[in-house]
Amino acid sequence: MSTLPLPPDPRALMKEFDLGAKKSFGQNFLKDQSVLRVIAEAAKLRAPHGVVVEIGAGLGALTYHLLAVGLRVVAIERDRDLVPILRREFQWAGEALDLREMDAAKLKYELLAEELGGPVTMVGNLPYQISSRLLVALAEAGDALHAGVVMVQKEVAERVVASPRTKEFGLLSVLTQYAFHGEFVRMVPPESFVPRPKVTSAVIALNRRDPIADNAEVDQAIAAARIAFSTRRKTLRRVLANRFKISSEAAGALVGQSGLSVDARAEELSLEDYVSLGRVLSDMPGFARKTSKESTGG
């Protein structure tokens, strides 16, 4: 691959194959070559084995740049209309590209890591309508996932990297931050895409962090956060009283045992605070870890 062909032109390919972006798939094809290069370089820095898994290859704009920086790419694309185009456009890539027609939402990260010989690095433009669900799935992949470089709607990115006591800090912040330290890479304006979306996007890096508690305690902390953010405008005392059908005094005692202020609200708690709260609540009847299929809002 010493002499590369020109990168794919999404607009030209859409015209050639009489394609339109599928709203049901959340398709907005990135065309800005400078942004694509930045994503590829950020992915290379976080791919210790030189292999990345691309979520939603689309028309190959990012795939090209990942290959161009010397990475081997396992490209996931569920749109059967696009897969033949990708195969044609990347005949030159040879064994450096492994193209798979499948739904990224159904990936089994543990099996993928085992197949590829170690923790994987994910990269891609996540569909807006399922970006939160995919981010939580990445967080729950555990040791199977080394890092990620993903593009999401700006507001989602702000929640992933938010700090406690800010309006952006919510349940998605907690769910992802137990697994990753998130950092902004760059903002991406609407005109960088075809078709042009109505929102601004952002590229964020997800760097695996050392665990702050064992798996059981993290599960408890996440369950506690789900309860706390269920009505985020209320104090913890009121939320717990309503959730467990106990008196305000009893709820306040639970909060106090956690070392927290009874008047604290969900967005004011740190990850460590949720670990403490989860320990105390774990003995309450009906307290159980919830699945990632539930809402990640808040």
Side-chain angles (χ1 to χ4, degrees):
M1 294 190 294
S2 57
T3 302
L4 296 179
L6 293 174
D9 181 340
R11 193 182 300 275
L13 288 172
M14 292 171 71
K15 182 178 180 180
E16 178 183 353
F17 290 92
D18 193 24
L19 293 173
K22 296 178 181 177
K23 291 184 178 181
S24 62
F25 283 15
Q27 289 177 342
N28 296 92
F29 302 112
L30 185 58
K31 64 178 183 178
D32 188 318
Q33 299 299 312
S34 65
V35 175
L36 290 162
R37 284 192 293 269
V38 166
I39 297 173
E41 290 291 350
K44 184 176 183 179
L45 287 174
R46 293 166 176 83
H49 305 296
V51 183
V52 294
V53 178
E54 182 185 5
I55 297 176
L59 288 167
L62 178 57
T63 312
Y64 174 92
H65 285 277
L66 294 170
L67 293 166
V69 297
L71 292 166
R72 290 196 298 119
V73 181
V74 178
I76 309 298
E77 178 53 57
R78 68 168 176 161
D79 188 341
R80 62 182 57 186
D81 293 330
L82 301 186
V83 172
I85 301 173
L86 289 166
R87 294 197 188 283
R88 188 197 75 171
E89 290 296 301
F90 289 99
Q91 290 181 14
W92 55 269
E95 294 183 356
L97 176 63
D98 179 357
L99 178 59
R100 305 185 184 186
E101 182 181 336
M102 62 184 299
D103 187 347
K106 298 178 181 179
L107 279 176
K108 304 295 185 184
Y109 297 101
E110 296 83 358
L111 296 178
L112 196 56
E114 182 178 352
E115 175 190 348
L116 298 177
V120 299
T121 296
M122 307 296 296
V123 60
N125 179 10
L126 304 188
Y128 293 145
Q129 69 269 36
I130 60 169
S131 60
S132 292
R133 180 154 59 94
L134 287 174
L135 286 166
V136 173
L138 294 178
E140 292 186 338
D143 292 338
L145 190 68
H146 173 71
V149 180
V150 297
M151 184 161 54
V152 294
Q153 188 172 333
K154 178 175 73 72
E155 288 75 13
V156 172
E158 289 171 342
R159 288 160 60 198
V160 171
V161 305
S163 299
R165 297 182 178 274
T166 63
K167 64 182 180 64
E168 292 82 14
F169 190 77
L171 182 56
L172 181 62
S173 311
V174 175
L175 294 177
T176 54
Q177 289 179 20
Y178 275 113
F180 301 113
H181 169 69
E183 61 177 301
F184 273 109
V185 176
R186 68 168 292 167
M187 305 299 287
V188 186
E191 57 267 25
S192 297
F193 298 86
V194 55
R196 177 174 174 161
K198 297 179 180 179
V199 299
T200 297
S201 301
V203 179
I204 54 174
L206 305 171
N207 305 300
R208 177 65 64 182
R209 66 182 300 166
D210 293 332
I212 67 171
D214 63 33
N215 290 340
E217 288 190 320
V218 169
D219 287 348
Q220 293 171 1
I222 289 174
R226 290 188 184 279
I227 293 171
F229 279 105
S230 63
T231 48
R232 66 178 292 163
R233 289 186 175 86
K234 294 183 179 180
T235 63
L236 285 179
R237 175 168 50 184
R238 291 186 62 188
V239 172
L240 297 184
N242 291 338
R243 173 64 174 79
F244 295 110
K245 309 301 181 186
I246 57 179
S247 68
S248 178
E249 291 75 16
L254 289 173
V255 178
Q257 290 174 40
S258 306
L260 306 171
S261 167
V262 295
D263 295 320
R265 288 175 167 79
E267 68 273 12
E268 298 173 354
L269 273 62
S270 68
L271 299 184
E272 291 79 6
D273 290 335
Y274 277 114
V275 171
S276 298
L277 183 61
R279 289 191 189 114
V280 172
L281 297 184
S282 62
D283 293 329
M284 294 297 293
F287 179 82
R289 181 181 184 273
K290 305 298 179 67
T291 70
S292 61
K293 294 180 181 178
E294 296 187 47
S295 171
T296 55

